[in-house]
Structure formats: C-alpha cells, structure tokens
Amino acid sequence: PRNVKNIVYALYAVCALLLGADWLYHKHTHFGFENWFGFFGLFGFIACVCLVLAAKVMRKLLKREEDYYDR
C-alpha cells in the first residue's frame, strides 16, 4: 500500500510538470481555442472518458450468451 501511494504521488507530480510545461513552448495551432492553457490534456481526458462510455454501450449491444460458442 505504501508503494502504491508513492506511485500515485509520482504520477500526480509528472502530470503537474507536463501541464506546467505547456507554458514553455510555442504551439503552431490552426484554431484559437488550441492556444488555451491545458487544452490538449483536457481534450485527451474527455476523449478517453467518451471511449469508455461508448465501450459500455457497445458491450450491451454486442454481448452474447455465456454458452454461445458451446452450441
């Protein structure tokens, strides 16, 4: 349990450093909203959540009986 807490804290630190690095480089963007601070991190998080929710819906549509292949 102690090691798990250390790993979680290390991941938080890496995420904070990467978010802070957003100020250190110039982005060549096509749209104005891409210049917002942390836009790509937030966009990636929202896209990941949408993929998980879509997978839950697809599971209900594509689910087969437990003995489907035994028949």
Side-chain angles (χ1 to χ4, degrees):
R2 194 182 90 206
N3 288 337
V4 172
K5 284 185 181 180
N6 289 339
I7 291 172
V8 170
Y9 291 144
L11 286 173
Y12 287 156
V14 168
C15 287
L17 288 172
L18 289 173
L19 186 64
D22 197 23
W23 277 320
L24 299 177
Y25 63 94
H26 174 70
K27 294 176 245 157
H28 301 279
T29 61
H30 296 285
F31 304 105
F33 57 83
E34 291 176 336
N35 286 324
W36 296 347
F37 176 72
F39 169 75
F40 290 106
L42 184 64
F43 179 78
F45 177 75
I46 291 172
C48 183
V49 169
C50 289
L51 283 172
V52 169
L53 294 176
K56 284 187 176 188
V57 172
M58 286 178 58
R59 181 176 184 265
K60 291 178 182 176
L61 294 173
L62 301 174
K63 187 176 173 182
R64 300 286 182 242
E65 302 283 332
E66 189 172 329
D67 62 345
Y68 178 77
Y69 293 105
D70 294 333
R71 288 191 249 162

